[in-house]
Amino acid sequence: YGEEEHYRIPARTNVIEPLGNSMDVFSHTTEEKILIARVPAESQVAPDEDVVLHLDPSRLHIFEPGAHGLNLTLTSASVPV
């Protein structure tokens, strides 16, 4: 995954949040859409850097806007009742 053009998104990093073995990279696209990517801690990424995100569609999670947005990628079978 990630080599096809539609799986690549140019972005600019804003904040890097270390999480031990991984880190969350907060970034925005040229259309000002916010993206958060979890990457390995040894990734060479810094704030205010232009990057190209390579997406694996099988690992995406899409949330509703807002502080407590629902995970839209969950199926009804995986939502606890």
Side-chain angles (χ1 to χ4, degrees):
Y1 290 105
E3 295 306 316
E4 296 182 45
E5 190 62 34
H6 61 279
Y7 295 139
R8 297 167 42 116
I9 299 178
R12 182 148 186 94
T13 60
N14 301 96
V15 175
I16 310 299
E17 183 178 344
L19 301 170
N21 291 335
S22 63
M23 59 185 173
D24 284 352
V25 178
F26 294 75
S27 59
H28 63 277
T29 67
T30 54
E31 294 87 24
E32 296 302 318
K33 303 292 183 190
I34 298 170
L35 298 172
I36 304 169
R38 182 154 295 163
V39 300
E42 51 278 344
S43 298
Q44 300 295 315
V45 95
D48 298 317
E49 185 173 79
D50 290 323
V51 296
V52 175
L53 301 175
H54 297 263
L55 306 180
D56 178 348
S58 69
R59 299 185 67 189
L60 287 177
H61 298 279
I62 301 171
F63 294 87
E64 288 180 327
H68 303 287
L70 294 175
N71 184 342
L72 300 175
T73 52
L74 291 177
T75 63
S76 59
S78 62
V79 176
V81 180

